[in-house]
Amino acid sequence: MVAARSVVAIETQANNLRRLKALYIDCGEKDQFNLLYGARRFVRRLNELGIAHRYEEFPDNHSGVDYRMDVSLPFLAQALSGGSVGSGPEVD
């Protein structure tokens, strides 16, 4: 249900999503809440609409993943500072 709402939000908010300085999404391959499947669907639609983003799957679950901030925060900080982040559409 949440994934379906997210896909609808992409449809209605595509232009706003394109205006973001960066969009970063990551998800654990062993996510115990199965968020991986919704994230993949979300990213697939972003790709179809040509909305720039960065998507990464990592070999972990949903808990204790603070170490992922070592990847996401520099990416987002660079985008906010006006630097190039290379955030073109990613293939899932």
Side-chain angles (χ1 to χ4, degrees):
M1 183 78 163
V2 173
R5 279 186 257 153
S6 297
V7 173
V8 170
I10 294 172
E11 302 299 327
T12 61
Q13 298 300 319
N15 288 331
N16 289 330
L17 289 168
R18 285 187 186 97
R19 285 194 284 265
L20 292 174
K21 292 182 182 227
L23 176 57
Y24 182 91
I25 305 155
D26 71 353
C27 193
E29 294 169 350
K30 302 171 191 169
D31 188 279
Q32 59 268 47
F33 303 108
N34 294 315
L35 297 179
L36 175 66
Y37 304 107
R40 287 177 178 172
R41 186 172 175 196
F42 184 77
V43 167
R44 188 169 35 253
R45 192 65 186 131
L46 290 173
N47 286 333
E48 291 168 358
L49 293 171
I51 296 171
H53 63 280
R54 181 171 172 184
Y55 176 66
E56 295 182 9
E57 291 181 11
F58 55 93
D60 209 338
N61 61 34
H62 191 84
S63 305
V65 292
D66 292 347
Y67 67 90
R68 293 295 301 165
M69 286 191 247
D70 292 343
V71 177
S72 62
L73 292 181
F75 172 82
L76 296 170
Q78 187 170 3
L80 290 172
S81 69
S84 173
V85 294
S87 61
E90 297 287 327
V91 177
D92 57 325

XYZ file of all heavy atoms in Angstrom:
721
model
N 0.818 -1.189 0.000
C 0.000 0.000 0.000
C 0.865 1.257 0.000
O 0.614 2.172 -0.742
C -0.926 -0.046 1.210
C -1.859 1.101 1.273
S -3.208 0.871 0.137
C -4.334 2.037 0.768
N 1.893 1.298 0.820
C 2.768 2.464 0.865
C 3.467 2.657 -0.472
O 3.560 3.768 -0.977
C 3.793 2.344 2.010
C 4.806 3.455 1.944
C 3.072 2.356 3.346
N 3.952 1.562 -1.068
C 4.635 1.661 -2.359
C 3.699 2.219 -3.413
O 4.102 3.030 -4.236
C 5.172 0.301 -2.774
N 2.437 1.801 -3.399
C 1.474 2.305 -4.380
C 1.285 3.806 -4.205
O 1.228 4.550 -5.190
C 0.148 1.567 -4.236
N 1.206 4.276 -2.973
C 1.062 5.709 -2.732
C 2.306 6.470 -3.171
O 2.213 7.571 -3.683
C 0.773 5.979 -1.252
C -0.683 5.760 -0.910
C -0.969 6.168 0.505
N -1.048 4.907 1.238
C -0.796 4.758 2.509
N -0.419 5.759 3.228
N -0.898 3.594 3.090
N 3.469 5.876 -2.982
C 4.710 6.519 -3.402
C 4.768 6.681 -4.907
O 5.209 7.700 -5.411
C 5.921 5.718 -2.937
O 5.972 5.677 -1.541
N 4.326 5.666 -5.634
C 4.333 5.746 -7.092
C 3.354 6.812 -7.557
O 3.642 7.569 -8.473
C 4.042 4.364 -7.719
C 3.885 4.469 -9.218
C 5.171 3.396 -7.371
N 2.199 6.910 -6.931
C 1.240 7.966 -7.276
C 1.845 9.331 -6.984
O 1.715 10.267 -7.774
C -0.092 7.772 -6.521
C -0.992 8.986 -6.685
C -0.798 6.519 -7.016
N 2.550 9.458 -5.854
C 3.196 10.727 -5.514
C 4.219 11.118 -6.568
O 4.362 12.296 -6.881
C 3.847 10.643 -4.140
N 4.920 10.152 -7.133
C 5.881 10.459 -8.193
C 5.149 11.070 -9.372
O 5.602 12.051 -9.958
C 6.654 9.199 -8.636
C 7.532 8.689 -7.519
C 7.495 9.489 -9.870
C 8.169 7.352 -7.808
N 4.025 10.500 -9.723
C 3.253 11.006 -10.865
C 2.835 12.457 -10.642
O 2.946 13.280 -11.547
C 2.003 10.145 -11.090
C 2.272 8.693 -11.341
C 3.113 8.439 -12.581
O 3.002 9.203 -13.553
O 3.877 7.469 -12.566
N 2.340 12.768 -9.463
C 1.825 14.111 -9.207
C 2.916 15.108 -8.828
O 2.710 16.307 -8.953
C 0.750 14.087 -8.098
O 1.337 13.585 -6.894
C -0.426 13.220 -8.506
N 4.071 14.620 -8.389
C 5.134 15.500 -7.919
C 6.396 15.428 -8.763
O 7.460 15.898 -8.337
C 5.475 15.172 -6.464
C 4.320 15.371 -5.508
C 3.825 16.803 -5.488
O 4.609 17.751 -5.515
N 2.517 16.977 -5.467
N 6.310 14.880 -9.968
C 7.498 14.682 -10.801
C 8.269 15.973 -11.023
O 9.497 15.994 -10.916
C 7.107 14.039 -12.132
N 7.582 17.061 -11.319
C 8.287 18.322 -11.572
C 9.002 18.824 -10.323
O 10.120 19.337 -10.412
C 7.329 19.382 -12.117
C 6.917 19.080 -13.541
O 7.667 18.462 -14.297
N 5.728 19.494 -13.915
N 8.396 18.654 -9.162
C 9.056 19.051 -7.918
C 10.263 18.164 -7.636
O 11.302 18.642 -7.179
C 8.080 18.999 -6.747
C 7.051 20.096 -6.818
O 7.308 21.173 -7.349
N 5.865 19.833 -6.307
N 10.147 16.867 -7.905
C 11.271 15.959 -7.707
C 12.437 16.323 -8.617
O 13.592 16.218 -8.230
C 10.838 14.511 -7.955
C 9.917 13.910 -6.895
C 9.319 12.599 -7.386
C 10.662 13.712 -5.593
N 12.148 16.775 -9.828
C 13.209 17.179 -10.765
C 13.948 18.420 -10.288
O 15.082 18.654 -10.666
C 12.616 17.436 -12.146
C 12.262 16.182 -12.887
C 11.823 16.473 -14.327
N 11.362 15.255 -14.932
C 10.079 14.897 -15.014
N 9.131 15.682 -14.540
N 9.748 13.745 -15.563
N 13.308 19.233 -9.465
C 13.937 20.465 -8.979
C 14.824 20.249 -7.755
O 15.533 21.160 -7.330
C 12.860 21.502 -8.653
C 12.255 22.139 -9.892
C 11.451 23.375 -9.525
N 10.169 23.044 -8.942
C 9.028 22.963 -9.619
N 9.012 23.168 -10.904
N 7.908 22.674 -9.007
N 14.800 19.064 -7.181
C 15.645 18.798 -6.020
C 17.117 18.887 -6.398
O 17.509 18.509 -7.499
C 15.365 17.393 -5.466
C 14.010 17.162 -4.833
C 13.847 15.687 -4.472
C 13.822 18.029 -3.605
N 17.918 19.352 -5.472
C 19.363 19.385 -5.705
C 19.938 17.982 -5.734
O 20.925 17.724 -6.417
C 20.060 20.221 -4.633
C 19.714 21.685 -4.734
C 20.450 22.492 -3.699
C 20.037 23.932 -3.811
N 21.144 24.828 -3.798
N 19.348 17.065 -4.986
C 19.781 15.674 -4.971
C 18.667 14.831 -4.360
O 17.916 15.298 -3.509
C 21.061 15.504 -4.165
N 18.611 13.604 -4.810
C 17.675 12.631 -4.249
C 18.469 11.350 -4.020
O 19.005 10.765 -4.963
C 16.515 12.390 -5.219
C 15.490 11.324 -4.841
C 14.853 11.623 -3.483
C 14.421 11.240 -5.919
N 18.590 10.957 -2.775
C 19.387 9.781 -2.398
C 18.473 8.755 -1.750
O 17.742 9.070 -0.811
C 20.497 10.192 -1.424
C 21.386 9.041 -1.043
C 22.531 8.761 -1.772
C 21.077 8.218 0.026
C 23.348 7.692 -1.435
C 21.877 7.154 0.373
C 23.009 6.895 -0.364
O 23.810 5.830 -0.042
N 18.528 7.544 -2.238
C 17.725 6.450 -1.702
C 18.651 5.251 -1.521
O 19.397 4.911 -2.439
C 16.596 6.061 -2.676
C 15.748 7.284 -3.028
C 15.732 4.939 -2.106
C 15.042 7.169 -4.352
N 18.611 4.639 -0.358
C 19.316 3.374 -0.197
C 18.479 2.428 0.641
O 17.560 2.847 1.349
C 20.725 3.549 0.358
C 20.799 3.953 1.812
O 19.752 4.237 2.419
O 21.914 4.005 2.353
N 18.771 1.150 0.492
C 17.978 0.148 1.192
C 18.813 -1.115 1.366
O 19.575 -1.492 0.468
C 16.726 -0.160 0.373
S 15.499 -1.097 1.296
N 18.658 -1.749 2.506
C 19.362 -2.994 2.761
C 18.750 -4.157 1.992
O 17.533 -4.281 1.899
N 19.605 -5.006 1.458
C 19.152 -6.176 0.712
C 18.426 -7.187 1.601
O 17.690 -8.033 1.109
C 20.340 -6.871 0.044
C 20.988 -6.031 -1.035
C 22.311 -6.597 -1.512
O 22.842 -7.553 -0.889
O 22.827 -6.076 -2.514
N 18.648 -7.079 2.912
C 18.024 -8.005 3.861
C 17.029 -7.270 4.764
O 16.794 -7.679 5.898
C 19.107 -8.671 4.715
C 20.126 -9.427 3.899
C 21.280 -9.876 4.757
C 22.412 -10.396 3.888
N 23.630 -10.602 4.643
N 16.442 -6.202 4.262
C 15.514 -5.391 5.051
C 14.373 -6.251 5.587
O 13.640 -6.866 4.812
C 14.958 -4.246 4.194
C 14.142 -3.281 5.022
O 12.960 -3.586 5.295
O 14.695 -2.237 5.409
N 14.253 -6.307 6.905
C 13.260 -7.169 7.526
C 11.829 -6.659 7.362
O 10.875 -7.370 7.642
C 13.596 -7.423 9.003
C 13.678 -6.217 9.878
C 15.074 -5.635 9.987
O 15.769 -5.453 8.996
N 15.484 -5.310 11.206
N 11.667 -5.440 6.867
C 10.339 -4.886 6.621
C 9.986 -4.929 5.130
O 8.971 -4.383 4.710
C 10.263 -3.456 7.144
C 10.606 -3.375 8.607
C 11.805 -2.825 9.009
C 9.743 -3.873 9.574
C 12.143 -2.752 10.358
C 10.074 -3.817 10.924
C 11.284 -3.250 11.315
N 10.855 -5.548 4.348
C 10.662 -5.696 2.902
C 10.552 -4.363 2.165
O 9.921 -4.278 1.115
C 9.448 -6.586 2.600
C 9.674 -8.001 3.049
O 10.728 -8.578 2.824
N 8.694 -8.572 3.735
N 11.178 -3.322 2.706
C 11.156 -2.024 2.039
C 11.917 -2.044 0.720
O 11.707 -1.191 -0.136
C 11.733 -0.950 2.961
C 10.944 -0.718 4.253
C 11.624 0.346 5.103
C 9.517 -0.330 3.949
N 12.770 -3.013 0.568
C 13.561 -3.155 -0.648
C 12.679 -3.197 -1.891
O 12.979 -2.571 -2.904
C 14.407 -4.424 -0.547
C 15.228 -4.826 -1.743
C 16.327 -3.802 -1.992
C 15.848 -6.194 -1.506
N 11.566 -3.895 -1.814
C 10.706 -4.062 -2.983
C 10.001 -2.761 -3.361
O 9.868 -2.437 -4.539
C 9.720 -5.203 -2.751
C 10.471 -6.474 -2.414
C 10.467 -6.968 -1.113
C 11.237 -7.127 -3.367
C 11.194 -8.106 -0.789
C 11.968 -8.260 -3.052
C 11.935 -8.746 -1.757
O 12.664 -9.853 -1.439
N 9.580 -2.008 -2.374
C 8.990 -0.701 -2.646
C 10.023 0.281 -3.171
O 9.741 1.072 -4.072
N 11.235 0.215 -2.626
C 12.311 1.105 -3.091
C 12.642 0.816 -4.544
O 12.818 1.739 -5.348
C 13.555 0.942 -2.216
N 12.703 -0.452 -4.902
C 12.992 -0.811 -6.293
C 11.902 -0.310 -7.234
O 12.180 0.188 -8.314
C 13.132 -2.323 -6.432
C 14.414 -2.856 -5.848
C 14.453 -4.359 -5.946
N 15.702 -4.890 -5.429
C 15.923 -6.184 -5.256
N 14.978 -7.078 -5.562
N 17.085 -6.600 -4.787
N 10.672 -0.446 -6.809
C 9.550 0.032 -7.641
C 9.598 1.548 -7.781
O 9.385 2.085 -8.869
C 8.242 -0.417 -6.993
C 7.046 -0.122 -7.814
C 5.818 -0.749 -7.208
N 4.664 -0.327 -7.989
C 3.430 -0.432 -7.593
N 3.156 -0.971 -6.425
N 2.446 -0.011 -8.338
N 9.865 2.236 -6.695
C 9.985 3.686 -6.692
C 11.098 4.135 -7.646
O 10.912 5.015 -8.482
C 10.279 4.137 -5.253
C 10.340 5.613 -5.043
C 9.180 6.369 -4.981
C 11.553 6.256 -4.862
C 9.239 7.741 -4.759
C 11.618 7.613 -4.641
C 10.460 8.360 -4.587
N 12.248 3.493 -7.550
C 13.402 3.838 -8.381
C 13.129 3.526 -9.854
O 13.516 4.283 -10.741
C 14.673 3.131 -7.861
C 15.805 3.199 -8.857
C 15.083 3.741 -6.529
N 12.454 2.432 -10.109
C 12.112 2.093 -11.494
C 11.266 3.209 -12.120
O 11.494 3.632 -13.251
C 11.371 0.756 -11.539
C 11.142 0.223 -12.922
C 10.650 -1.224 -12.970
N 9.747 -1.632 -11.899
C 10.093 -2.449 -10.892
N 11.312 -2.923 -10.797
N 9.209 -2.771 -9.975
N 10.319 3.738 -11.357
C 9.473 4.828 -11.879
C 10.268 6.119 -12.018
O 10.068 6.872 -12.975
C 8.247 5.024 -10.985
C 7.215 5.905 -11.611
C 6.629 5.260 -12.874
N 5.737 6.201 -13.526
C 5.764 6.496 -14.820
N 6.613 5.893 -15.615
N 4.941 7.373 -15.315
N 11.169 6.400 -11.078
C 12.048 7.571 -11.230
C 12.830 7.471 -12.533
O 12.953 8.457 -13.273
C 13.018 7.678 -10.052
C 12.456 8.052 -8.685
C 13.540 7.931 -7.628
C 11.855 9.446 -8.697
N 13.360 6.293 -12.830
C 14.106 6.085 -14.068
C 13.224 6.330 -15.290
O 13.639 6.985 -16.253
C 14.687 4.664 -14.126
C 15.862 4.483 -13.202
O 16.571 5.420 -12.875
N 16.070 3.261 -12.761
N 12.009 5.801 -15.266
C 11.094 5.961 -16.398
C 10.777 7.428 -16.660
O 10.623 7.838 -17.809
C 9.796 5.196 -16.139
C 9.957 3.704 -16.164
C 8.757 2.940 -15.620
O 7.776 3.571 -15.168
O 8.807 1.700 -15.643
N 10.697 8.211 -15.598
C 10.371 9.636 -15.724
C 11.615 10.504 -15.904
O 11.509 11.718 -16.038
C 9.584 10.105 -14.499
C 8.187 9.493 -14.355
C 7.590 9.837 -13.009
C 7.282 9.950 -15.487
N 12.799 9.889 -15.888
C 14.037 10.645 -16.060
C 14.348 11.571 -14.898
O 14.952 12.626 -15.083
N 13.947 11.183 -13.702
C 14.199 11.993 -12.506
C 15.547 11.580 -11.917
O 15.755 10.415 -11.571
C 13.067 11.829 -11.479
C 11.754 12.363 -12.080
C 13.409 12.539 -10.167
C 10.530 12.074 -11.253
N 16.456 12.531 -11.821
C 17.808 12.259 -11.318
C 17.757 11.822 -9.860
O 17.010 12.385 -9.051
C 18.674 13.502 -11.461
N 18.566 10.817 -9.546
C 18.632 10.298 -8.185
C 19.849 9.393 -8.063
O 20.502 9.082 -9.056
C 17.370 9.492 -7.853
C 17.219 8.280 -8.727
N 16.728 8.357 -10.010
C 17.531 6.983 -8.521
C 16.733 7.155 -10.554
N 17.224 6.299 -9.663
N 20.122 9.006 -6.840
C 21.157 8.005 -6.582
C 20.516 6.918 -5.730
O 19.921 7.212 -4.689
C 22.336 8.624 -5.854
C 23.457 7.630 -5.587
C 24.680 8.350 -5.076
N 25.693 7.404 -4.639
C 26.823 7.778 -4.074
N 27.086 9.054 -3.887
N 27.703 6.888 -3.701
N 20.623 5.690 -6.173
C 20.033 4.552 -5.465
C 21.109 3.508 -5.210
O 21.874 3.173 -6.106
C 18.912 3.931 -6.291
C 18.315 2.699 -5.667
C 17.607 2.771 -4.472
C 18.465 1.465 -6.262
C 17.054 1.643 -3.893
C 17.916 0.314 -5.695
C 17.201 0.420 -4.504
O 16.664 -0.699 -3.937
N 21.141 3.021 -3.982
C 22.097 1.980 -3.620
C 21.426 0.934 -2.738
O 20.668 1.276 -1.834
C 23.285 2.570 -2.860
C 24.119 3.508 -3.680
C 25.328 4.049 -2.915
O 25.614 3.566 -1.799
O 25.960 4.946 -3.449
N 21.721 -0.314 -3.044
C 21.343 -1.412 -2.167
C 22.619 -1.870 -1.476
O 23.674 -1.915 -2.097
C 20.741 -2.563 -2.974
C 19.396 -2.208 -3.563
C 18.764 -3.341 -4.357
O 19.260 -4.501 -4.300
O 17.776 -3.072 -5.046
N 22.514 -2.195 -0.213
C 23.693 -2.615 0.535
C 23.396 -3.918 1.265
O 22.238 -4.214 1.573
C 24.159 -1.515 1.500
C 23.093 -1.042 2.445
C 22.963 -1.609 3.700
C 22.220 -0.024 2.084
C 21.977 -1.182 4.589
C 21.238 0.415 2.957
C 21.121 -0.166 4.210
N 24.416 -4.718 1.530
C 24.222 -6.047 2.107
C 24.003 -6.016 3.623
O 24.862 -6.437 4.401
C 25.511 -6.784 1.746
C 26.539 -5.703 1.692
C 25.819 -4.487 1.171
N 22.837 -5.508 4.023
C 22.512 -5.415 5.442
C 21.002 -5.355 5.570
O 20.274 -5.422 4.584
C 23.181 -4.187 6.061
C 23.505 -4.374 7.534
O 22.888 -5.236 8.190
O 24.374 -3.639 8.043
N 20.522 -5.174 6.808
C 19.087 -5.086 7.026
C 18.682 -3.640 7.316
O 19.369 -2.714 6.908
C 18.651 -6.054 8.132
C 19.300 -5.759 9.460
O 19.566 -4.621 9.817
N 19.572 -6.815 10.216
N 17.589 -3.454 8.036
C 17.053 -2.120 8.295
C 17.621 -1.495 9.575
O 17.508 -0.302 9.782
C 15.520 -2.224 8.411
C 14.813 -0.917 8.429
N 14.486 -0.242 7.279
C 14.366 -0.153 9.450
C 13.864 0.879 7.588
N 13.778 0.959 8.903
N 18.243 -2.303 10.414
C 18.668 -1.853 11.741
C 20.177 -1.648 11.815
O 20.939 -2.339 11.150
C 18.256 -2.887 12.788
O 16.872 -3.139 12.713
N 20.581 -0.696 12.644
C 21.997 -0.491 12.906
C 22.797 -0.124 11.669
O 23.901 -0.613 11.483
N 22.231 0.708 10.839
C 22.907 1.047 9.580
C 23.357 2.519 9.561
O 23.448 3.131 8.500
C 22.019 0.715 8.353
C 21.853 -0.777 8.206
C 20.661 1.408 8.456
N 23.668 3.041 10.730
C 24.159 4.419 10.805
C 25.409 4.623 9.953
O 25.661 5.732 9.474
C 24.471 4.813 12.246
C 23.221 4.913 13.105
O 22.108 4.919 12.547
O 23.365 4.985 14.330
N 26.183 3.577 9.749
C 27.397 3.681 8.935
C 27.083 4.098 7.496
O 27.953 4.602 6.791
C 28.173 2.359 8.944
C 27.464 1.219 8.253
C 27.651 0.985 6.904
C 26.601 0.390 8.963
C 26.994 -0.065 6.260
C 25.948 -0.656 8.331
C 26.140 -0.877 6.984
O 25.496 -1.904 6.357
N 25.841 3.935 7.060
C 25.449 4.348 5.713
C 25.487 5.870 5.560
O 25.566 6.385 4.452
C 24.055 3.824 5.359
C 23.978 2.328 5.218
C 24.778 1.809 4.068
N 24.326 2.385 2.807
C 25.010 2.341 1.671
N 26.170 1.730 1.627
N 24.538 2.894 0.583
N 25.456 6.579 6.682
C 25.556 8.043 6.613
C 26.909 8.478 6.075
O 27.037 9.572 5.544
C 25.282 8.659 7.984
C 23.821 8.610 8.344
S 23.479 9.604 9.786
C 23.026 8.332 10.936
N 27.911 7.619 6.189
C 29.223 7.930 5.612
C 29.146 8.030 4.093
O 30.017 8.630 3.460
C 30.248 6.856 5.983
C 30.589 6.863 7.464
O 30.295 7.866 8.142
O 31.145 5.857 7.935
N 28.122 7.442 3.501
C 27.913 7.510 2.056
C 26.923 8.615 1.713
O 27.170 9.454 0.844
C 27.396 6.147 1.524
C 27.108 6.219 0.038
C 28.375 5.033 1.847
N 25.782 8.624 2.388
C 24.706 9.545 2.026
C 25.002 11.007 2.372
O 24.731 11.897 1.552
C 23.402 9.122 2.685
O 23.500 9.152 4.100
N 25.548 11.259 3.543
C 25.743 12.659 3.952
C 26.749 13.414 3.079
O 26.471 14.561 2.706
C 26.107 12.743 5.430
C 24.982 12.338 6.389
C 25.429 12.484 7.830
C 23.715 13.126 6.132
N 27.897 12.848 2.712
C 28.785 13.581 1.805
C 28.128 13.865 0.456
O 28.301 14.948 -0.117
C 29.991 12.645 1.645
C 29.999 11.821 2.876
C 28.544 11.626 3.218
N 27.359 12.905 -0.051
C 26.646 13.098 -1.316
C 25.677 14.279 -1.208
O 25.663 15.172 -2.056
C 25.897 11.808 -1.669
C 24.978 11.937 -2.848
C 25.463 11.849 -4.140
C 23.623 12.146 -2.664
C 24.621 11.962 -5.236
C 22.771 12.263 -3.746
C 23.268 12.169 -5.030
N 24.879 14.296 -0.144
C 23.895 15.363 0.031
C 24.557 16.702 0.350
O 24.136 17.748 -0.147
C 22.897 14.973 1.118
C 22.038 13.749 0.770
C 21.253 13.280 1.987
C 21.115 14.043 -0.406
N 25.615 16.695 1.141
C 26.331 17.934 1.459
C 26.919 18.550 0.196
O 26.863 19.777 0.009
C 27.425 17.671 2.481
N 27.473 17.728 -0.660
C 28.040 18.230 -1.915
C 26.948 18.847 -2.787
O 27.144 19.905 -3.382
C 28.760 17.115 -2.667
C 29.499 17.611 -3.886
C 30.405 16.548 -4.476
O 30.440 15.418 -4.009
N 31.133 16.906 -5.497
N 25.794 18.222 -2.840
C 24.686 18.760 -3.624
C 24.221 20.098 -3.064
O 23.966 21.044 -3.816
C 23.528 17.771 -3.645
N 24.133 20.204 -1.751
C 23.669 21.441 -1.127
C 24.686 22.573 -1.271
O 24.320 23.740 -1.291
C 23.349 21.206 0.348
C 22.112 20.351 0.591
C 21.980 20.017 2.072
C 20.859 21.029 0.069
N 25.957 22.219 -1.391
C 26.988 23.250 -1.529
C 27.155 23.686 -2.987
O 27.995 24.531 -3.278
C 28.323 22.741 -0.982
O 28.837 21.719 -1.818
N 26.374 23.093 -3.864
C 26.430 23.495 -5.272
C 27.383 22.681 -6.105
O 27.569 22.956 -7.284
N 27.997 21.664 -5.522
C 28.919 20.818 -6.274
C 28.174 19.808 -7.126
O 27.006 19.528 -6.917
N 28.866 19.258 -8.086
C 28.291 18.228 -8.936
C 28.310 16.909 -8.182
O 29.333 16.506 -7.639
C 29.112 18.091 -10.219
O 28.647 16.997 -10.969
N 27.163 16.224 -8.136
C 27.082 14.968 -7.406
C 26.931 13.773 -8.335
O 26.892 12.641 -7.885
C 25.919 14.979 -6.380
C 26.192 15.983 -5.293
C 24.601 15.240 -7.053
N 26.827 14.014 -9.617
C 26.672 12.906 -10.543
C 25.444 12.089 -10.241
O 25.476 10.878 -10.221
N 24.311 12.767 -10.010
C 23.115 12.068 -9.577
C 22.166 11.795 -10.739
O 20.987 12.066 -10.666
C 22.392 12.885 -8.513
O 22.010 14.135 -9.056
N 22.684 11.266 -11.816
C 21.825 10.919 -12.928
C 20.968 9.712 -12.592
O 21.204 9.038 -11.596
N 19.966 9.455 -13.428
C 19.128 8.289 -13.164
C 19.958 7.023 -13.050
O 20.865 6.799 -13.831
C 18.206 8.235 -14.392
C 18.157 9.635 -14.885
C 19.541 10.195 -14.594
N 19.658 6.231 -12.050
C 20.387 4.992 -11.787
C 19.561 3.804 -12.258
O 18.343 3.850 -12.268
C 20.646 4.851 -10.284
C 21.517 5.928 -9.710
C 22.970 5.793 -10.096
O 23.447 4.663 -10.257
O 23.613 6.821 -10.246
N 20.225 2.757 -12.608
C 19.555 1.521 -12.980
C 19.499 0.641 -11.764
O 20.479 0.477 -11.057
C 20.318 0.817 -14.121
C 19.652 -0.496 -14.451
C 20.401 1.715 -15.333
N 18.333 0.057 -11.492
C 18.203 -0.805 -10.307
C 18.583 -2.223 -10.622
O 18.804 -2.629 -11.706
C 16.798 -0.755 -9.734
C 15.711 -1.143 -10.712
O 15.849 -0.842 -11.906
O 14.732 -1.749 -10.285
